[in-house]
Amino acid sequence: MKLRTLSVIAGISYLIIFFAAIFANFFVLDSIVKEPLLTIQNDHLMVRFGIMAFIITVVFDVVVAWALYELYKKNILSGLSTLFRMMHAAIMGVAVFTLPVALTLTSEKEILNQIDLFNIIWLIGLFFFGIHLILLGRILKKPKLITISLIIAGIMYMADTGAHILLHNYDDYNSIFLALVAIPSIFGEMALSVWLLVKGGIS
């Protein structure tokens, strides 16, 4: 397959992940956290679509991992980077298995416990995703602003997971860590997806 085609596949897959994750996180999970029982009972179809959106992100995570590996397999770090992204996808897949159970629950506490379980598993996966982003930044080398953003985002993902585990009062710093992760990751990954679509694979 041509490098340009692989780059376009990776870019489109990144955009699908981005929009599916926004819907699943900010429209579905946030609604469940705010009104657990009401959302599960009255908006169960939206919740089911949210679960499907998470499954879609896992599928296209694997597609991105494959496409990026094929694009940069001459780099010695490419295989390692791919493995860490695949680890993230696998862990995320396990996390998604916890969500359909929430549809069967009738207690707000039980529903929120199930969402917490999902978040904990996902959080561990993001640690490995952070390593992938750091390695990807080293592999790409240019555009410089994108590679720096990816490396910073990777470090922040790892730091956030570590803080969740190590700090007993993490909630006091939650908004700070959210900003530290969100800003470089949204910019870096969105910019990368656009660059892959427009210029990636062109010698």
Side-chain angles (χ1 to χ4, degrees):
M1 192 176 288
K2 292 181 180 179
L3 294 181
R4 183 74 193 114
T5 304
L6 286 165
S7 184
V8 170
I9 290 172
I12 292 173
S13 298
Y14 245 123
L15 289 178
I16 292 171
I17 291 169
F18 185 75
F19 289 112
I22 284 178
F23 170 71
N25 274 299
F26 299 109
F27 286 90
V28 179
L29 276 191
D30 277 5
S31 296
I32 296 173
V33 170
K34 289 174 185 174
E35 295 284 351
L37 206 53
L38 195 64
T39 303
I40 293 294
Q41 291 178 344
N42 295 350
D43 295 317
H44 63 90
L45 188 59
M46 182 187 73
V47 175
R48 292 176 192 276
F49 275 116
I51 294 169
M52 281 304 303
F54 276 125
I55 292 172
I56 287 168
T57 65
V58 174
V59 170
F60 282 95
D61 230 9
V62 175
V63 174
V64 170
W66 163 75
L68 291 176
Y69 172 74
E70 290 295 324
L71 270 170
Y72 301 106
K73 60 185 175 183
K74 291 182 180 179
N75 190 298
I76 194 170
L77 294 175
S78 185
L80 188 60
S81 174
T82 301
L83 287 173
F84 277 113
R85 183 158 197 145
M86 291 293 287
M87 286 177 70
H88 163 257
I91 294 170
M92 182 62 184
V94 172
V96 174
F97 271 102
T98 67
L99 294 178
V101 176
L103 290 166
T104 67
L105 302 174
T106 56
S107 160
E108 289 200 348
K109 185 178 180 182
E110 289 179 335
I111 293 169
L112 289 175
N113 285 342
Q114 203 65 23
I115 299 302
D116 284 342
L117 179 59
F118 167 81
N119 284 328
I120 289 167
I121 299 171
W122 185 17
L123 191 68
I124 293 169
L126 288 176
F127 188 88
F128 299 107
F129 183 68
I131 299 174
H132 159 74
L133 289 183
I134 294 169
L135 293 171
L136 184 59
R138 295 291 306 276
I139 291 165
L140 289 174
K141 295 180 181 173
K142 61 178 184 179
K144 204 68 179 176
L145 187 58
I146 293 176
T147 62
I148 291 171
S149 296
L150 291 175
I151 291 170
I152 293 172
I155 293 169
M156 290 300 104
Y157 273 121
M158 295 174 69
D160 185 48
T161 300
H164 265 92
I165 295 169
L166 297 173
L167 297 179
H168 69 90
N169 59 337
Y170 174 86
D171 287 344
D172 295 341
Y173 307 98
N174 180 53
S175 57
I176 296 172
F177 277 103
L178 180 61
L180 289 173
V181 171
I183 294 170
S185 65
I186 290 173
F187 173 79
E189 291 184 80
M190 278 301 294
L192 174 61
S193 66
V194 172
W195 182 82
L196 286 168
L197 287 169
V198 176
K199 295 198 70 177
I202 300 173
S203 300

